[in-house]
Amino acid sequence: MSSPLPQAPFSTAPVDPSAPILLFDSGVGGLTVLGELRKVLPQAPVIYAADMAGLPYGTKTEAQVTARVAGLLGRMTERFAPRLVCIACNTASTIALGMVREVLEVPVVGTVPAIKPAAAMTRSGVIGLLGTQATIRQAYVDRLEHEFAGDKRLLRYGGPGLVEAAEAKLRGERVDPAAVIRAAEALRAMPGGENIDTVVLACTHFPLLEDELAEAFGPGVRFVHGAEGIARRIAHLTEGQEYARQQPDRALFTGPGEFPGAYGEALARYGLPEGGRF
Ligand code: DGL
C-alpha cells in the first residue's frame, strides 16, 4: 500500500462556527488525543465517538476494520457535519486512512506510530514499538520504519490485553499488571531488546497506561506517542476558523448497553458531560 496522499484542498468558504471536530476511536483511547486537543483548541466543539461495539480493532482483519471505520465515519459525517474528522486510533489509521480520505468530503487527520520522533530521541538506537496486533503488521509501519528509522533497530510487539487494561482503568477498575509486564518482557526478550531506551506507544489507549508501563520497563526508558502532534495538526488545519459551542460536547458509543455506565467520570474529566448511543 502506498502512503495515503494528503487530501485535496477543501473549500475556503467560512465554516459554521458550531460545527464540531469529530474524534473517532474504537474505545476510550482517543481521549488521549482529545486531552491534547483541549490544550490547543479549548474553544472547539467536539463529538467523541467510540465504536465500543467493534472494540477491539487490534484483533480484527484489515477488511473488518476498514468496513467498520468507513461505514461509521460516513454515517457520522452526514449526521453531524463536522469541520474535521480525526481518526484517533492507530489501528484504524494505519489500515483505513487512505480509504476514509477517499470517501469523506471533510479533512481527515490520522494517528500513526510516532517512529520519527522516537528515532530522533533514541541514544542506543534500539526502539520498542508497542501497538495492537493489527497495527504492527501494517505496511504503513514498514514505510515509517524505512523512512525514519532505517539506521535504527525497531522491535515491534502487538500487546494482547493492553487495550482492555486501559479501558478498565478508565472505568475506575484496578489494572491487572499482567498484560503490561508481558509486553515489557516480550520486547526486552527480542534480540537487542535489552538496549531499548525509547518505546513508541503506537495505540492511543496506551498512554493511559504510561505509569504502569514505566514501572514494567524500569528506569532509562522514555515513551513517545503522537497525541500532541496530532492536536497541533488539527489546530493548523482549522486555523482562522471561528468556534461557537452551542451545546455541551458529547460522547457517542456504538452498541447496546448502558451509557455512559462506568465511563461517566472519565468522560466528564475530558469535558464530555453528555452523550448517548450511536
Ligand atoms: N486505540 C486503538 C489504536 O490506537 C486500538 C484499540 C483496539 O484494538 O481497538 O490502535
Side-chain angles (χ1 to χ4, degrees), residues 88-146:
C89 172
N90 289 258
T91 312
S93 298
T94 55
I95 292 174
L97 182 58
M99 151 80 97
V100 171
R101 283 184 169 160
E102 288 285 326
V103 296
L104 296 193
E105 286 173 359
V106 290
V108 182
V109 174
T111 311
V112 298
I115 293 174
K116 187 180 177 184
M121 275 165 64
T122 181
R123 296 262 153 78
S124 67
V126 187
I127 301 166
L129 185 138
L130 211 48
T132 65
Q133 288 136 290
T135 295
I136 64 161
R137 65 172 182 256
Q138 296 309 312
Y140 202 126
V141 179
D142 300 342
R143 258 192 332 272
L144 291 173
E145 176 178 2
H146 181 74

Side-chain angles (χ1 to χ4, degrees), residues 11-70:
S11 144
T12 48
V15 167
D16 171 359
S18 67
I21 292 172
L22 175 66
L23 266 77
F24 176 89
D25 182 31
S26 55
V28 290
L31 293 176
T32 57
V33 176
L34 177 57
E36 294 300 324
L37 185 66
R38 295 296 197 198
K39 294 181 192 163
V40 294
L41 285 179
Q43 72 281 34
V46 164
I47 292 180
Y48 183 85
D51 183 14
M52 291 294 189
L55 181 93
Y57 281 0
T59 51
K60 291 191 163 48
T61 65
E62 283 70 3
Q64 287 172 319
V65 172
T66 304
R68 287 200 78 84
V69 174

